[in-house]
Amino acid sequence: MNKRKLSRQQRWRVEKIQAERAKRAEKRGEQDAEKLAAGEYGPEQPGRVIAHFGRTLDVRPEGDSTPVRCHLRANLEGLVTGDRVIWRAGQDGSGVVVARGERGSVLERPDARGQLKPVAANIDQILIVFAVEPEPHANLIDRYLVAAEATGIAPVLVLNKVDLLPENGGELRALLDRYAALDYPVVTTSTARDGGLDALHQRLADRTSVFVGQSGVGKSSLIDRLLPDEDLRIGALSEDSRKGRHTTTTARLYRFAPSDRGDAEAGELIDSPGIREFGLIHLDEVQVAEGFIEFRDLLGRCRFRDCRHRQEPGCALLAAVESGEIHADRFASYRRIVDSLDET
């Protein structure tokens, strides 16, 4: 993606704004240092960022559900929702974050310039939601799987509206079986049946999750059922598009309500408009191939080191398709994704 060139005046404005921000941060840091030296902040304690607003954060103390509005020390940058932090409480009920813990994982998305920026951290699984209606397409599911694999965060397939599935399961059941054969966890859900979310509750327990998927598959309905005590994050349906309008643009971490089974730890969700849908624009051809997990043992075994797995002789992937080791539909899906990269 080409970077937009800025005029001299625009560059001056950007530099001026950045300098002013740095000056304010330095002043805040000096004030924090004075307060820390004067004993105005309490002892260090662990917490987790549940919302992020620039240099202001909502931190949930360990063992407490009441968040504390905190600001950052001047030398701390790049914190995101889900980060585990060390913070100190102030006498006025606020706090200051003094350190960030090591991240177990980080979810990144490209910004307007194509540069990857972190949006959430310490995620255990990405739940890819699709539904019986609208009819799911394998290539779209594969796109989400490739994107998830690129993050290093475990993907889980969630088939929603399973009450609409034909009794014999049809082609969709065969598709699910294909992914299950690749060892992808598959969960079926329905908000129209009693107990229709039991398997999902079990999957979410004791994990931090994010939900992704195209519009109309029921992500919002699932989240609202799982978070009945939270304010709705999705506005009224747009009359022309019938898509949910987001009422917030910041990522936020929520705790799921325990299910009727009385889960000791019901799990957590990091949700935001920017997380629910993410694409492949930041990936190259090699990364896409690595995102198809059944390809991995074969990559590097082609006769030619620069093989693009099209019609080259001695291509290990083409031979695996021919022998049935790789499903022909999955390979065709891979080719469509790679071809789409050339179009962007």
Side-chain angles (χ1 to χ4, degrees):
M1 181 181 294
N2 294 328
K3 294 184 178 180
R4 181 169 62 91
K5 293 184 178 180
L6 302 179
S7 67
R8 181 180 299 176
Q9 185 177 17
Q10 288 172 323
R11 288 197 302 270
W12 176 81
R13 288 177 180 172
V14 170
E15 291 170 357
K16 181 181 178 183
I17 291 172
Q18 291 176 339
E20 290 174 347
R21 287 177 177 172
K23 187 176 181 180
R24 289 196 298 270
E26 183 179 359
K27 184 177 180 181
R28 169 73 79 173
E30 292 173 353
Q31 293 172 343
D32 287 340
E34 293 174 359
K35 290 181 178 180
L36 288 168
E40 294 185 27
Y41 285 109
E44 293 183 350
Q45 56 182 307
R48 194 169 188 192
V49 177
I50 66 168
H52 186 279
F53 315 95
R55 295 196 64 80
T56 302
L57 310 167
D58 279 352
V59 175
R60 187 179 67 207
E62 194 171 90
D64 189 358
S65 61
T66 304
V68 178
R69 182 61 54 90
C70 298
H71 59 269
L72 291 170
R73 290 290 302 273
N75 60 342
L76 281 179
E77 296 289 345
L79 292 186
V80 295
T81 298
D83 270 325
R84 294 182 173 88
V85 297
I86 300 298
W87 69 285
R88 301 176 71 170
Q91 296 177 353
D92 59 357
S94 66
V96 56
V97 175
V98 298
R100 189 199 79 192
E102 185 177 351
R103 289 170 173 168
S105 64
V106 60
L107 181 62
E108 297 177 310
R109 297 187 74 250
D111 61 14
R113 295 187 176 186
Q115 303 297 315
L116 287 176
K117 300 293 183 183
V119 293
N122 298 310
I123 299 165
D124 297 310
Q125 58 186 1
I126 296 175
L127 277 71
I128 302 168
V129 184
F130 56 108
V132 178
E133 294 180 2
E135 180 182 357
H137 297 285
N139 183 248
L140 182 61
I141 296 173
D142 289 338
R143 285 176 177 272
Y144 277 111
L145 285 172
V146 169
E149 292 288 350
T151 68
I153 303 171
V156 177
L157 296 176
V158 178
L159 175 63
N160 194 24
K161 307 181 185 179
V162 71
D163 52 289
L164 302 178
L165 194 66
E167 187 173 344
N168 62 1
E171 295 181 2
L172 186 51
R173 175 55 64 184
L175 181 63
L176 292 179
D177 291 342
R178 185 192 309 167
Y179 289 117
L182 294 172
D183 291 330
Y184 280 121
V186 177
V187 177
T188 58
T189 60
S190 171
T191 58
R193 291 179 179 173
D194 291 338
L197 300 184
D198 286 352
L200 182 59
H201 273 292
Q202 185 175 357
R203 186 71 209 183
L204 296 171
D206 202 25
R207 296 181 176 98
T208 299
S209 308
V210 298
F211 283 57
V212 301
Q214 68 178 137
S215 298
V217 297
K219 296 186 301 294
S220 302
S221 297
L222 289 174
I223 292 171
D224 291 338
R225 286 285 297 274
L226 293 165
L227 298 169
D229 298 328
E230 297 287 350
D231 292 334
L232 295 179
R233 292 153 309 287
I234 304 300
L237 289 178
S238 169
E239 290 298 331
D240 55 346
S241 67
R242 304 305 297 169
K243 294 180 181 179
R245 294 199 298 260
H246 292 283
T247 58
T248 178
T249 58
T250 184
R252 190 169 186 88
L253 186 146
Y254 300 90
R255 273 184 174 163
F256 290 121
S259 70
D260 295 337
R261 300 186 313 274
D263 298 323
E265 178 57 64
E268 298 170 318
L269 165 75
I270 296 180
D271 184 42
S272 86
I275 289 179
R276 290 193 187 190
E277 297 191 27
F278 62 110
L280 305 176
I281 192 172
H282 58 293
L283 301 183
D284 59 29
E285 204 167 314
V286 173
Q287 290 171 309
V288 170
E290 291 173 345
F292 283 77
I293 57 177
E294 68 270 43
F295 292 8
R296 291 176 182 172
D297 290 342
L298 299 170
L299 295 175
R301 296 188 179 183
C302 298
R303 181 185 304 174
F304 301 106
R305 206 180 311 177
D306 60 349
C307 182
R308 297 189 65 194
H309 319 300
R310 294 182 182 272
Q311 298 177 341
E312 296 89 342
C315 173
L317 294 188
L318 291 175
V321 174
E322 185 69 23
S323 68
E325 183 179 352
I326 292 177
H327 198 287
D329 290 346
R330 280 274 286 178
F331 186 77
S333 184
Y334 156 73
R335 287 259 39 101
R336 283 195 293 273
I337 293 174
V338 169
D339 291 342
S340 71
L341 298 180
D342 298 331
E343 299 170 3
T344 58

